[in-house]
Amino acid sequence: MPEAPAAITVADVQHLAGLARIALEPGEIEHLAGELNQIVDSVRKVQEVATPDVPATSHPIPLVNVLRADEVGAVLTQEQVLSGAPDQADGRFRVPAILGEEQ
C-alpha cells in the first residue's frame, strides 16, 4: 500500500489562497486545513476498498425503470376533440395570440 500523504498544513492553505488570490482570515485558513485533511482521509478510505474485484457503481442499489411501456390505446378523433372547443380553425384549436409578430 502506498505511503499516506502528509497532512495539509495551514501554510499549504495560505500558499494556495495566495496563488488563487483569495483573502482568508486566520480562522478560515485553520478551518479549511482541517476540512481538507478530512477530505483527503475520506478519499484514502475509499481507495482502500476500491479494489479491482469491486465493480464501480454510480448508485448503491440497482436502478429500475418504473414507467410502463408505451402502448397505443383508444384515442379521440380530431373531430371529437374539436367538438368541445369554443373556437376552431383549420382543424386546430383557435386561441388568442400571446406572442408578438416577432415569431
Side-chain angles (χ1 to χ4, degrees):
M1 177 173 266
E3 185 178 314
I8 296 173
T9 65
V10 170
D12 293 332
V13 176
Q14 284 175 327
H15 178 69
L16 290 172
L19 292 174
R21 291 182 169 78
I22 299 173
L24 296 174
E25 298 293 323
E28 292 174 311
I29 293 171
E30 290 179 25
H31 180 75
L32 285 172
E35 285 189 342
L36 290 170
N37 279 310
Q38 286 180 344
I39 292 169
V40 170
D41 289 342
S42 297
V43 171
R44 189 177 304 120
K45 287 177 186 175
V46 170
Q47 288 175 333
E48 289 174 6
V49 296
T51 59
D53 59 325
V54 177
T57 60
S58 61
H59 293 81
I61 57 174
L63 297 179
V64 184
N65 187 354
V66 295
L67 303 175
R68 65 170 172 76
D70 287 338
E71 296 176 7
V72 177
V75 296
L76 299 174
T77 65
Q78 185 177 19
E79 294 79 24
Q80 290 172 319
V81 171
L82 293 173
S83 68
D87 196 6
Q88 59 175 306
D90 301 322
R92 299 183 183 122
F93 292 104
R94 185 177 169 128
V95 296
I98 58 170
L99 300 175
E101 294 297 321
E102 66 273 356
Q103 297 181 26

